[in-house]
Amino acid sequence: MYTSMKDSLEERRKRALRVRTVRRWVATGLVVLAVVALLVGLPWVVWKGPYVLDSKYIDTKEIGKGTGSAALVTGLRNALVACVAALGAGIALLYTARTYRLTRRGQVTDRFNKALERLGSDEIYVRIGGILVLEQIVQDAPEQATDAAHVLGHFIRRRAPRAAGAFRDERGKQAKSLPAKPDADVQTALTALTRRKSRVHVDPREALDLSGLHLVGARLESADLTDANLEWANLAKADLRMADLTDAILYQANLAKAYLYQANLTEAYLCEANLTDATLAEANLTGANLQESGTNLTHADLRMADLTGAVMWETNLTNTYLSEANLDGADLTKADLRTVVNLTREQLAAALTDDTTILPPEADEGDSDDGSWPYVRQDYLAWRASRAAAGAE
């Protein structure tokens, strides 16, 4: 289920660093070998090489008498000199390649500067063009990924409005009307900034900070939001399917009606987050922190979600759908489970509960004929109908 997220961002960064390190060592080794061959090997090969290579055809006593042995030695030396000349041409080619890289670096810098100019334009299509140029630069020159991420992060924080109730932005004012979805340039920047291939090359010290932003309706499917700071962000109705939110900070974030199908929220901090009507089917919430009564999972869809080791103290689980969810080691201290939908005895037995956990009234009524609790198992369509009646859909 989580094959596409199997490798963590940190592992991918280490792998990319190893590849770059190996390339540098290989290049350095080749240069050292070329220098040694030129300064040490060349004189020896020209002087002694013929006697080693064709020793059985050369009579050392006849070398100075104009015999065939002398001609053979001369011919071999000429051939060796030609080989050395070819080697010198190869070295010259390496220097040419180095010059090309320096020229290319200058071209990348020029493209980067032009992209920055476009980002400051008053025309939205020009700004989008600048963002696409930055993304292309990262693909062509991965070493520029950190600088591009830094610029795009500031661009988003500058252009996206602040979420209602969040602290003031850099401009010192709150937007009067908030859009139903991000502007096209902000959406393009979000896509470029959170693309998995680009995040691999970003310095881990370059934090992904989207805190306090109004990003309602954002399209972030398969986005890499590992370690992202999303506290107080408004991501209501956002498309976060298969997104990687490992270790993300979502304190008091608004994820109402967000689509988080198969999202990876391993050890994410979700205290007091609003997940009302959110779709978390098959999501990975292993070790996630969902404690506090302010964490709202009312009508949330957690079918087949993995809640192994999740902390759910006092979490609001009103009409939460937990069909086939994995609750192994989930801490349900002080949780109210009276209205949870499709909770089974096996799930509850695997979770951590105590005297403060409020169990469904059916828990003490014994098992029904099919082994499930009476009235606890509920048809999914009936649950969807009750959700719609509550105004969720």
Side-chain angles (χ1 to χ4, degrees):
M1 185 187 343
Y2 309 112
T3 302
S4 61
M5 303 173 190
K6 183 169 59 177
D7 295 336
S8 67
L9 178 60
E10 188 65 27
E11 291 172 343
R12 286 180 277 136
R13 279 173 172 161
K14 289 180 180 178
R15 188 162 56 246
L17 179 60
R18 284 196 298 269
V19 171
R20 292 196 296 268
T21 302
V22 169
R23 287 177 178 174
R24 284 198 298 267
W25 277 106
V26 170
T28 303
L30 290 175
V31 171
V32 171
L33 287 175
V35 171
V36 171
L38 183 63
L39 298 179
V40 179
L42 177 60
W44 184 88
V45 169
V46 172
W47 183 252
K48 294 292 184 179
Y51 301 101
V52 175
L53 296 174
D54 278 343
S55 59
K56 62 182 179 179
Y57 301 110
I58 297 174
D59 186 353
T60 56
K61 297 178 180 179
E62 301 294 329
I63 292 297
K65 299 180 181 179
T67 61
S69 295
L72 182 59
V73 170
T74 302
L76 284 172
R77 284 176 174 169
N78 289 337
L80 290 171
V81 170
C83 291
V84 171
L87 178 62
I91 294 174
L93 183 61
L94 289 176
Y95 275 103
T96 302
R98 181 176 180 274
T99 302
Y100 167 76
R101 286 197 300 270
L102 293 174
T103 303
R104 179 172 172 271
R105 184 178 299 175
Q107 293 174 345
V108 169
T109 301
D110 291 339
R111 291 167 62 192
F112 203 97
N113 290 334
K114 290 179 180 179
L116 294 180
E117 293 176 1
R118 293 184 178 183
L119 292 180
S121 173
D122 293 332
E123 300 291 341
I124 189 170
Y125 65 89
V126 177
R127 296 196 295 272
I128 292 175
I131 296 166
L132 296 177
V133 169
L134 278 180
E135 190 171 18
Q136 187 62 49
I137 289 173
V138 171
Q139 295 177 13
D140 296 339
E143 66 274 9
Q144 298 294 324
T146 300
D147 294 331
H150 186 74
V151 170
L152 289 173
H154 279 281
F155 176 84
I156 293 171
R157 297 197 67 79
R158 182 69 180 174
R159 303 298 307 187
R162 281 300 185 188
F167 41 80
R168 292 177 178 273
D169 59 15
E170 292 102 355
R171 294 164 290 184
K173 59 183 180 181
Q174 181 79 48
K176 293 182 179 180
S177 60
L178 297 173
K181 63 179 181 178
D183 292 339
D185 55 342
V186 174
Q187 178 60 64
T188 305
L190 283 169
T191 301
L193 182 61
T194 60
R195 196 179 299 279
R196 292 177 186 269
K197 292 182 179 179
S198 301
R199 295 298 302 173
V200 169
H201 303 286
V202 177
D203 191 311
R205 292 171 296 182
E206 180 61 36
L208 181 54
D209 185 5
L210 301 174
S211 60
L213 296 182
H214 179 86
L215 299 172
V216 171
R219 300 190 309 277
L220 292 164
E221 55 269 27
S222 298
D224 191 338
L225 292 161
T226 304
D227 295 316
N229 183 0
L230 294 162
E231 58 183 350
W232 299 304
N234 190 347
L235 289 159
K237 300 181 181 179
D239 187 349
L240 287 154
R241 75 185 81 179
M242 300 183 71
D244 191 348
L245 289 144
T246 302
D247 289 318
I249 301 174
L250 290 148
Y251 175 71
Q252 289 193 356
N254 184 5
L255 290 159
K257 298 185 180 180
Y259 190 61
L260 290 143
Y261 173 73
Q262 286 193 352
N264 188 358
L265 290 146
T266 301
E267 297 188 2
Y269 189 78
L270 289 152
C271 289
E272 299 189 37
N274 181 11
L275 290 153
T276 303
D277 304 316
T279 297
L280 290 149
E282 299 185 34
N284 185 359
L285 288 144
T286 302
N289 193 335
L290 294 146
Q291 63 181 331
E292 304 295 342
S293 57
T295 307
N296 194 348
L297 284 164
T298 299
H299 280 112
D301 184 356
L302 285 155
R303 283 172 297 152
M304 300 177 67
D306 190 350
L307 289 154
T308 302
V311 182
M312 305 174 73
W313 290 12
E314 299 184 296
T315 303
N316 186 345
L317 296 169
T318 304
N319 289 322
T320 303
Y321 197 76
L322 287 172
S323 178
E324 298 184 63
N326 185 358
L327 296 174
D328 289 350
D331 193 340
L332 296 170
T333 302
K334 298 183 180 181
D336 187 346
L337 305 176
R338 287 176 295 182
T339 61
V340 170
V341 179
N342 270 32
L343 179 67
T344 65
R345 185 180 298 278
E346 290 76 13
Q347 287 174 303
L348 193 58
L352 302 178
T353 60
D354 63 8
D355 294 339
T356 64
T357 304
I358 305 176
L359 301 175
E362 296 84 3
D364 297 324
E365 296 181 12
D367 293 340
S368 61
D369 293 337
D370 63 356
S372 64
W373 291 353
Y375 313 113
V376 175
R377 297 192 61 81
Q378 179 177 330
D379 182 77
Y380 177 64
L381 294 178
W383 174 78
R384 286 287 296 270
S386 67
R387 190 182 186 195
E393 299 179 359

